Amino acid sequence: MDAPSDAFLWVKALHIIAVVCWFAALFYLPRLFVYHAMSEDAVSHERFQVMERKLYRGIMWPAMVATLITAHFLVDWGDATRHYHDAIWFYLKVSLVGLLVIYHLFCGYYRKKLMLDAHYKSHKFWRYFNEMPTLILFAVVILVVVKPQF
């Protein structure tokens, strides 16, 4: 196997940075939903709206887009030597990333619902909702690192 090019390594580094930023936001936004649902006063409600909006628009969206773009280039460049498209683990990983994108979009939907009614769902719901990206992260990391043969 040939050594990866410098460009490939730079894109890989950017991909890892984007994934870390995206997951940080995916972990934190639902946690804000927990606190938002527990808030009782208008000042707190407004503060959480601002925090959620800035996190969702300013960090989550750019990080997700950067993750998906860099992933595309990594697969495009790396598939010539690593045969990703022949491996079931790769399709499972792509499916899980698809679920993560859907989760991301649900976060945006729920953010708008919370703007109208902070008690739209209970803080317990948001605590469970907050665990979904953790489960996906575990599965994706195992698939990428172990590359299990099915």
Side-chain angles (χ1 to χ4, degrees):
M1 184 180 302
D2 295 338
S5 70
D6 284 346
F8 182 84
L9 294 175
W10 275 102
V11 172
K12 191 174 190 178
L14 292 174
H15 179 70
I16 292 168
I17 292 165
V19 168
V20 168
C21 292
W22 190 26
F23 266 98
L26 286 169
F27 291 148
Y28 189 50
L29 185 62
R31 179 53 52 181
L32 287 176
F33 293 167
V34 170
Y35 301 136
H36 194 161
M38 294 172 64
S39 68
E40 298 294 333
D41 58 294
V43 173
S44 295
H45 181 67
E46 290 175 23
R47 182 181 312 118
F48 284 117
Q49 283 183 357
V50 170
M51 291 171 69
E52 292 161 359
R53 185 188 77 246
K54 288 182 177 185
L55 179 61
Y56 188 72
R57 290 184 182 169
I59 296 172
M60 275 179 77
W61 267 103
M64 181 186 71
V65 169
T67 297
L68 297 176
I69 289 171
T70 55
H72 170 75
F73 283 107
L74 290 174
V75 170
D76 194 41
W77 285 342
D79 196 38
T81 57
R82 292 172 185 81
H83 308 291
Y84 297 141
H85 289 84
D86 296 336
I88 293 173
W89 69 264
F90 175 75
Y91 290 102
L92 290 172
K93 178 203 169 218
V94 170
S95 298
L96 289 170
V97 172
L99 283 176
L100 217 50
V101 170
I102 291 167
Y103 180 88
H104 175 113
L105 296 173
F106 265 107
C107 284
Y109 170 78
Y110 284 142
R111 184 183 71 78
K112 289 181 181 178
K113 295 288 263 186
L114 281 165
M115 286 172 54
L116 301 174
D117 179 11
H119 305 291
Y120 165 67
K121 293 193 182 280
S122 75
H123 66 91
K124 289 182 181 180
F125 170 83
W126 299 119
R127 289 179 196 278
Y128 287 110
F129 182 74
N130 191 35
E131 299 306 320
M132 194 105 79
T134 305
L135 299 174
I136 293 173
L137 176 65
F138 271 84
V140 168
V141 169
I142 290 168
L143 288 170
V144 170
V145 173
V146 177
K147 295 179 178 54
Q149 301 298 314
F150 297 98

